[in-house]
Amino acid sequence: MKLTKHAAIGIDFGTTNSSVALVRPSGEVELTAFPFMGALTDSYRSLLYLEQVKEFGRDTLKSWTGPAGIERYLSAENKGRLIQSLKSFLSSRSLKATEVFGRRRTLEELIARILADLRLAAEQQFGIAIDSAVVGRPVRFVSAESEDDNRYAESRLKDAFHVAGFKTVAFEMEPVAAAYYYESTLSHDELILIGDFGGGTSDFSLIHVGPAIRKRGRKPKDLLGNSGVGIAGDAFDAKIVRRLVSPVLGAGTNIRSIDKILPAPIWVYAKVEKWHHLSFLRTKETMNMLRTVEAQSLEPKKIAALIHLITEDLGYQLHRSVQSVKCALSANDAANFHFSDGTIDLESNVERTAFESWIAEELSQISACVDGLLKTCSIQPTQVDKVFLTGGSSFVPAVRRIFESRFGADRIRTGNEFTSVARGLALKANDTAS
Ligand SMILES: Nc1ncnc2c1ncn2[C@@H]1O[C@H](COP(=O)(O)OP(=O)(O)OP(=O)(O)O)[C@@H](O)[C@H]1O
Ligand SMILES: [Mg+2]
């Protein structure tokens, strides 16, 4: 395989989905296509599945990522460990490593497993060896409270790329990358506001783009500013789980401890709501604690359902049910929620207005982030030529309304929701190389 030092590769390692793009010498952008369930997809689920298997009479830790991880997980009789939204741990100083079937794995190693498979698939499709890439990062990583936290998260992401065999990694803000993609569709210059709503983060950039700007060369002053908040699709999902699922798993119920009535442990339900925490609940200590809670519970069947969810590692199925109702609510005024496994059997009709009231707090934090950016940059909404909304969570009508109310529907542009960032990263890699 030929090693092209300056291959224009862009990699968007997303909280939920990842994409890889290459700019061909013709200028055409090509996405890596991944096989899934007999078809091809250009967005690769950023998940990792680990199983302990017997090989030559010895216990060996094996792992699969993306579509292969999903397929292996679904067909496994004894479920291993399926981990989602790993990117959301990057700023967390308390999660350095985790024990998987008695073996210690650092967060960087777990993420690198996904990156290595992305790299391999891209190498095979593009026919080149890849050891450098322009990589996206959110303006503010999930749970980052300071610039120091962001630097820490970015350096861990870089380390993960190194573990996956990359030698050179250059970062670009994800909304800026989306702006470069949007720019490639323009025939004139514009001042644009980008809103990129993913699984973990919502990111914004105010930036001048267009053919004349590219021709004269970009200047730092073209980028008026970035802002971001660690709230997006996963935070919306958390509210769906809180409202529809956790009560059936015993949230808000009581236990009798000797002569006291106490609530079932709240922290467990906080973790059940978060995709990146759910599969980490399956530890000996937590399971022992939950069995004690079940024995003392006033509603033990609900705690038994919680134990079932954790021991069977049902995060993937739960995510699928939540994702399905959320997507249906983007298109319809009401939708059906369905989740069943073992003794858990949930069915309910959800109105879009109810969902919007559940995520009202998240929506107002997102709005405040947009308004804050405009204010810091001293830009009035009337000065913005177009608003480009991208990322899977930009399909949520209440998210769009934030922009429609400030800028009017006619200035809003959308498109390539799942691949605009990877495309823009590749375009940047191409500009840097030429
Ligand atoms: N039609 C839809 N309606 C509402 N939400 C949707 C829809 N389609 C996808 N999503 C949500 O979009 C999110 C994934 O979007 P995307 O792939 O852009 O995120 P990501 O790039 O992986 O995350 P991040 O950029 O935060 O790292 C998920 O939360 C998913 O549930
Ligand atoms: Mg994204």
Side-chain angles (χ1 to χ4, degrees):
M1 200 176 277
K2 197 170 86 187
L3 182 79
T4 36
K5 275 219 172 74
H6 300 296
I9 297 287
I11 302 184
D12 175 18
F13 171 63
T15 311
T16 316
N17 302 298
S18 297
S19 296
V20 183
L22 164 83
V23 180
R24 291 281 182 196
S26 63
E28 195 191 330
V29 178
E30 185 177 330
L31 291 158
T32 307
F34 308 99
F36 183 48
M37 303 267 181
L40 287 175
T41 170
D42 45 31
S43 59
Y44 190 90
R45 276 298 304 275
S46 314
L47 57 76
L48 175 65
Y49 177 60
L50 301 125
E51 231 181 61
Q52 178 136 283
V53 295
K54 272 243 174 320
E55 247 181 17
F56 308 113
R58 288 176 54 197
D59 284 335
T60 313
L61 185 62
K62 288 221 143 201
S63 53
W64 295 261
T65 71
I70 297 171
E71 282 167 23
R72 176 80 192 189
Y73 166 82
L74 291 176
S75 62
E77 214 159 277
N78 294 314
K79 301 292 185 217
R81 176 87 71 91
L82 184 125
I83 315 175
Q84 308 183 88
S85 296
L86 272 167
K87 186 179 176 184
S88 297
F89 278 121
L90 281 165
S91 77
S92 159
R93 287 164 211 266
S94 60
L95 191 106
K96 294 256 187 318
T98 181
E99 290 261 319
V100 193
F101 301 111
R103 281 155 224 257
R104 189 173 179 274
R105 289 286 180 275
T106 63
L107 176 66
E108 290 81 341
E109 286 170 323
L110 297 176
I111 290 178
R113 241 334 253 112
I114 301 174
L115 300 177
D117 280 356
L118 288 173
R119 176 176 172 230
L120 190 65
E123 287 188 332
Q124 283 171 350
Q125 178 174 328
F126 300 145
I128 51 170
I130 297 168
D131 69 355
S132 70
V134 175
V135 171
R137 60 151 278 190
V139 176
R140 194 208 280 202
F141 284 85
V142 169
S143 300
E145 280 166 13
S146 63
E147 258 323 294
D148 200 36
D149 289 349
N150 278 322
R151 272 192 295 275
Y152 175 67
E154 188 190 278
S155 78
R156 292 178 97 181
L157 186 54
K158 191 173 215 164
D159 289 346
F161 271 88
H162 287 153
V163 175
F166 289 83
K167 292 200 175 79
T168 317
V169 176
F171 283 101
E172 180 55 275
M173 295 289 177
E174 287 161 13
V176 173
Y180 294 156
Y181 158 70
Y182 173 76
E183 180 187 64
S184 71
T185 68
L186 286 183
S187 56
H188 57 277
D189 293 352
E190 286 181 353
L191 170 62
I192 55 165
L193 170 64
I194 300 289
D196 174 22
F197 302 90
T201 56
S202 298
D203 293 293
F204 309 97
S205 294
L206 258 176
I207 181 169
H208 290 279
V209 291
I213 289 169
R214 267 201 74 194
K215 199 157 167 227
R216 66 123 155 92
R218 293 191 204 286
K219 298 193 171 145
K221 71 172 172 46
D222 295 332
L223 176 63
L224 305 188
N226 297 314
S227 69
V229 56
I231 292 174
D234 282 3
F236 301 162
D237 295 352
K239 290 298 170 74
I240 295 178
V241 173
R242 185 178 300 179
R243 297 290 179 142
L244 301 180
V245 184
S246 295
V248 185
L249 305 177
T253 62
N254 290 323
I255 56 173
R256 189 186 304 278
S257 174
I258 314 176
D259 55 350
K260 276 197 253 106
I261 298 289
L262 299 169
I266 293 163
W267 68 267
V268 176
Y269 299 99
K271 296 209 174 203
V272 166
E273 287 177 2
K274 301 210 168 86
W275 303 128
H276 57 300
H277 282 291
L278 181 49
S279 74
F280 288 90
L281 278 171
R282 203 172 59 175
T283 64
K284 231 183 232 137
E285 303 82 69
T286 305
M287 297 323 291
N288 287 342
M289 181 276 290
L290 285 177
R291 285 199 188 93
T292 309
V293 169
E294 184 188 8
Q296 300 171 332
S297 174
L298 302 184
E299 297 179 64
K301 281 198 176 132
K302 291 183 175 174
I303 306 298
L306 171 65
I307 292 173
H308 175 74
L309 181 96
I310 298 172
T311 47
E312 294 301 310
D313 207 9
L314 297 178
Y316 177 73
Q317 287 88 334
L318 186 58
H319 183 275
R320 205 166 46 183
S321 294
V322 168
Q323 164 105 354
S324 157
V325 73
K326 193 175 62 168
C327 292
L329 286 172
S330 292
N332 308 295
D333 291 339
N336 208 40
F337 175 73
H338 180 64
F339 175 63
S340 75
D341 197 287
T343 55
I344 310 171
D345 191 12
L346 294 177
E347 183 95 51
S348 58
N349 197 267
V350 185
E351 305 259 326
R352 187 196 282 169
T353 49
F355 171 58
E356 290 177 350
S357 72
W358 301 345
I359 61 167
E361 173 57 32
E362 286 72 17
L363 293 169
S364 78
Q365 289 191 49
I366 290 170
S367 310
C369 191
V370 176
D371 293 337
L373 177 64
L374 291 167
K375 196 162 171 231
T376 321
C377 300
S378 305
I379 291 289
Q380 298 298 319
T382 48
Q383 293 171 271
V384 175
D385 296 310
K386 297 281 169 14
V387 177
F388 179 62
L389 301 182
T390 194
S393 296
S394 71
F395 287 116
V396 174
V399 167
R400 292 196 181 211
R401 279 207 303 275
I402 295 172
F403 298 88
E404 285 164 3
S405 66
R406 285 162 179 76
F407 301 93
D410 57 328
R411 271 189 284 162
I412 293 175
R413 297 291 178 274
T414 58
N416 279 319
E417 280 77 2
F418 297 102
T419 58
S420 60
V421 172
R423 289 167 190 269
L425 292 167
L427 290 168
K428 161 132 188 185
N430 195 44
D431 279 354
T432 319
S434 56

